[in-house]
């Protein structure tokens, strides 16, 4: 595979077309697949996500890709989880009590504790916290969010950026070559495309 090949995991949920188009626009070679061997052999993996935590985990389990994804991520290979694809990296979510996430990172996903309208939908400003190669130059930039739940990592060092939505919301996480973003870079205009390009070029 080329080092610009990016496997976009198809598990029956997720904004595959938009992510595929955005990756191609920044010079990547997107491959949409749910094939376990293709994911295991990938140079880079994106796990997109639209929908509910419980449905996501059920579909991943049905597709038989959970062990492959966990092994891939634990080997610190380039991985990007988008929106729900970031949330499932944690142990559990209030959205689906009793359903286990991938458990890559200690922590949970909770309903956004804010007095503002939920879901949080629209453009919001990033405040960078921990250095992250994908987010270089993104301080103060606006990105597009659509979500009702947010991640609460046990280790705050994992948080690479936050935004303000009546409370501090985890906007992105990262450790090594593993990244997650709560917002949608594929819908975040030039700043989002720049992030995807940095991921493709890792």
């Amino acid at each position: 595979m080329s080092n610009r090949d990016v496997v976009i995991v198809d598990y029956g949920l997720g904004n595959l077309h938009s992510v595929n188009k955005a990756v191609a626009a920044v010079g990547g070679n997107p491959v949409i697949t749910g094939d376990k061997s293709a994911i295991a052999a990938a140079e880079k993996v994106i796990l997109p996500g639209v929908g509910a935590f419980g449905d996501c985990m059920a579909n991943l389990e049905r597709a038989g890709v959970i062990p492959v994804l966990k092994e891939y991520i634990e080997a610190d290979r380039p991985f990007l989880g988008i929106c729900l694809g970031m949330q499932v990296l944690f142990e559990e979510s209030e959205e689906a009590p009793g359903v286990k996430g991938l458990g890559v990172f200690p922590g949970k996903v909770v309903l956004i504790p804010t007095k503002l309208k939920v879901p949080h939908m629209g453009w919001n400003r990033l405040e960078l916290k921990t250095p992250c190669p994908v987010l270089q130059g993104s301080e103060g930039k606006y990105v597009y969010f659509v979500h009702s739940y947010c991640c609460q990592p046990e280790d705050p060092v994992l948080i690479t950026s936050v935004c303000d939505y009546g409370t501090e919301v985890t906007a992105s996480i990262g450790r090594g070559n593993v990244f997650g973003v709560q917002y949608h870079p594929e819908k975040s205009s030039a700043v989002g495309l720049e992030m995807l390009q940095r991921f493709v070029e890792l």
Side-chain angles (χ1 to χ4, degrees), residues 14-101:
N15 194 11
L16 300 177
H17 176 70
S18 294
V19 175
N20 181 80
K21 187 176 177 181
V23 169
V26 298
N29 303 317
V31 180
I32 296 175
T33 181
D35 182 75
K36 289 180 281 188
S37 60
I39 296 168
E43 291 290 333
K44 299 176 180 73
V45 167
I46 292 179
L47 182 64
V50 175
F53 190 96
D55 292 339
C56 177
M57 290 307 303
N59 281 27
L60 288 172
E61 185 169 4
R62 195 174 298 118
V65 299
I66 289 177
V68 179
L69 283 173
K70 291 178 77 168
E71 184 176 339
Y72 182 96
I73 294 167
E74 286 164 6
D76 194 35
R77 297 164 68 189
F79 174 92
L80 175 64
I82 296 176
C83 195
L84 187 60
M86 164 172 143
Q87 293 181 6
V88 296
L89 293 174
F90 291 90
E91 296 166 305
E92 60 183 335
S93 174
E94 288 182 351
E95 186 178 21
V99 175
K100 290 184 178 179

Side-chain angles (χ1 to χ4, degrees), residues 83-84 86-87 145 147 149-151 170-172 180-184:
C83 195
L84 187 60
M86 164 172 143
Q87 293 181 6
F145 291 82
H147 67 122
Y149 293 82
C150 63
C151 299
T170 299
S172 63
V181 292
Q182 182 60 67
Y183 48 88
H184 288 272

Side-chain angles (χ1 to χ4, degrees), residues 43-198:
E43 291 290 333
K44 299 176 180 73
V45 167
I46 292 179
L47 182 64
V50 175
F53 190 96
D55 292 339
C56 177
M57 290 307 303
N59 281 27
L60 288 172
E61 185 169 4
R62 195 174 298 118
V65 299
I66 289 177
V68 179
L69 283 173
K70 291 178 77 168
E71 184 176 339
Y72 182 96
I73 294 167
E74 286 164 6
D76 194 35
R77 297 164 68 189
F79 174 92
L80 175 64
I82 296 176
C83 195
L84 187 60
M86 164 172 143
Q87 293 181 6
V88 296
L89 293 174
F90 291 90
E91 296 166 305
E92 60 183 335
S93 174
E94 288 182 351
E95 186 178 21
V99 175
K100 290 184 178 179
L102 295 176
V104 174
F105 300 122
K108 59 185 178 179
V109 181
V110 302
L111 187 67
I112 303 171
T114 182
K115 293 181 180 178
L116 300 180
K117 182 181 178 182
V118 175
H120 171 205
M121 185 179 298
W123 297 82
N124 209 323
R125 181 177 178 274
L126 293 179
E127 178 188 344
L128 302 190
K129 289 290 190 181
T130 304
C132 172
V134 174
L135 300 185
Q136 286 180 12
S138 300
E139 174 65 39
K141 299 291 181 67
Y142 283 79
V143 291
Y144 189 76
F145 291 82
V146 183
H147 67 122
S148 298
Y149 293 82
C150 63
C151 299
Q152 290 186 340
E154 283 187 13
D155 183 0
V157 175
L158 195 64
I159 301 171
T160 54
S161 71
V162 298
C163 71
D164 178 20
Y165 193 65
T167 186
E168 187 173 273
V169 172
T170 299
S172 63
I173 60 168
R175 185 185 70 190
N177 289 311
V178 178
F179 310 98
V181 292
Q182 182 60 67
Y183 48 88
H184 288 272
E186 77 279 9
K187 295 181 179 179
S188 295
S189 194
V191 62
L193 290 178
E194 288 167 8
M195 292 175 187
L196 288 173
Q197 184 169 9
R198 291 188 196 98

